[in-house]
């Protein structure tokens, strides 16, 4: 089952091994298809989760902007609450995949709150960098990041379906290593920040910081290929029906990561003008 390797913390090899144990493969025509994961079912679950995520992100964007400049007092609690809530629920889902259909909607809402809060923060960062103050935020940066996220996801899906990009073992290892490296650096930065130590250049809007931000965007995008591979193989191998929601959650996590990473990169670029 090594072919199921993926960098997504939800869509892991162990999830496939656990959920596929004892199941026969390749007999969908003879089995009750309603009991098993299908491509169409995964698409439907993913669309529902994305709809909930977008709705909560739009609500956060609309309600948490401060008309007098600066940040709304509830922005940081909502932002960190969404991020931590999504992480905790994703861990629960990882250890109990059968809960995915029941807590998936909560994860989607938390992801939306996180994305909405990040949209306000990075838009304010770009605005403050230009004028020194933050007024009423426009949607330009958010629309650019949203369109780029959608465009990248669609392009990679087409490339994957036409086999222009193949999720080979070496490809999976490279993406997993890059994702793990980003996670380690981010965690180290967070821990050091608690002690007042800041890694120089890496998180600034200089050349090194922009290069690192671009690397994160590329890595997040390539994780989509692994997610598509996971969904395709899971559907072909008759995983349980709840894995449709489990896979949809994993895809949503990657898309939100890609969106926030693109948004951050655009804000950094705009702040240099």
């Amino acid at each position: 089952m090594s072919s199921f390797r993926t960098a997504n913390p939800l869509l892991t090899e162990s999830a496939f091994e656990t959920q596929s144990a004892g199941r026969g493969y390749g007999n969908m025509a003879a089995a009750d298809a309603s009991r098993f994961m299908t491509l169409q079912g995964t698409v439907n679950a993913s669309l529902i989760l994305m709809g909930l995520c977008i709705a909560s992100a739009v609500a956060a964007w609309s309600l948490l902007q401060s008309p007098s400049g600066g940040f709304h007092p509830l922005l940081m609690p909502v932002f960190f609450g969404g991020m931590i809530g999504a992480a905790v629920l994703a861990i629960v889902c990882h250890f109990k995949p059968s809960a995915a259909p029941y807590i998936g909607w909560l994860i989607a809402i938390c992801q939306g709150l996180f994305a909405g809060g990040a949209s306000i923060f990075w838009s304010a960062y770009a605005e403050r960098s230009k004028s020194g103050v933050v007024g009423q935020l426009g949607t330009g940066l958010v629309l650019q990041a949203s369109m780029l996220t959608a465009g990248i996801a669609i392009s990679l899906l087409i490339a994957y379906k036409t086999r222009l990009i193949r999720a080979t073992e070496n490809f999976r290892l490279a993406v997993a290593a890059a994702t793990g490296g980003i996670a380690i650096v981010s965690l180290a930065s967070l821990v050091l920040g608690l002690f007042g130590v800041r890694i120089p250049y890496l998180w600034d809007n200089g050349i090194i910081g922009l290069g690192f931000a671009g690397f994160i965007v590329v890595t997040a995008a390539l994780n989509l290929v692994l997610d598509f591979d996971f969904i395709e193989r899971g559907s072909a191998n008759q995983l349980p029906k709840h894995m449709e929601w489990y896979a949809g959650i994993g895809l949503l996590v990657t898309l939100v990561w890609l969106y926030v990473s693109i948004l951050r990169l655009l804000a950094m670029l705009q702040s240099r003008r």
Side-chain angles (χ1 to χ4, degrees), residues 20-270:
S20 62
R23 297 185 180 276
Y25 299 149
N27 295 316
M28 283 293 288
D32 181 4
S34 64
R35 295 168 49 207
F36 302 109
M37 176 182 180
T38 64
L39 184 59
Q40 185 59 54
T42 305
V43 170
N44 294 340
S46 299
L47 289 176
I48 292 173
L49 293 172
M50 290 177 194
L52 289 171
C53 179
I54 292 171
S56 61
V58 170
W61 170 265
S62 302
L63 299 175
L64 296 180
Q65 290 191 40
S66 177
S68 58
F71 291 129
H72 192 286
L74 292 178
L75 176 60
M76 288 298 107
V78 168
F79 172 77
F80 284 108
M83 180 174 63
I84 295 172
V88 171
L89 291 171
I91 292 173
V92 173
C93 194
H94 172 75
F95 287 103
K96 191 173 179 58
S98 60
Y102 308 104
I103 65 175
W105 65 277
L106 282 173
I107 295 176
I109 291 174
C110 287
Q111 285 284 328
L113 295 177
F114 166 65
S119 299
I120 295 176
F121 176 80
W122 287 112
S123 295
Y125 172 86
E127 194 70 23
R128 180 183 288 115
S129 297
K130 291 190 300 180
S131 62
V133 296
V134 178
Q136 188 66 28
L137 300 179
T139 59
L141 205 66
V142 172
L143 287 176
Q144 291 175 38
S146 300
M147 293 177 66
L148 281 171
T149 301
I152 290 172
I154 293 172
S155 298
L156 286 174
L157 178 59
I158 293 173
Y160 176 78
K161 294 299 292 182
T162 58
R163 297 303 186 244
L164 291 176
I165 297 179
R166 296 178 181 273
T168 64
E169 184 66 15
N170 288 336
F171 180 90
R172 295 186 184 96
L173 287 171
V175 175
T179 305
I182 292 171
I184 291 172
V185 171
S186 300
L187 181 61
S189 298
L190 177 63
V191 173
L192 290 174
L194 297 176
F195 297 95
V197 179
R198 189 170 183 271
I199 299 178
Y201 308 118
L202 201 59
W203 304 104
D204 298 333
N205 63 348
I207 299 300
I208 296 177
L210 287 172
F212 185 62
F215 176 71
I216 293 176
V217 169
V218 171
T219 302
L222 293 179
N223 268 275
L224 285 175
V225 177
L226 302 189
D227 294 345
F228 298 150
D229 183 64
F230 181 99
I231 292 170
E232 182 180 55
R233 292 174 181 270
S235 301
N237 284 277
Q238 297 181 243
L239 296 188
K241 193 70 174 176
H242 62 257
M243 293 299 286
E244 294 175 348
W245 291 91
Y246 186 90
I249 293 169
L251 180 61
L252 177 66
V253 169
T254 302
L255 286 170
V256 171
W257 179 31
L258 177 61
Y259 165 76
V260 173
S261 299
I262 292 174
L263 183 69
R264 174 174 173 263
L265 178 59
L266 291 177
M268 293 171 68
L269 289 170
Q270 185 168 319

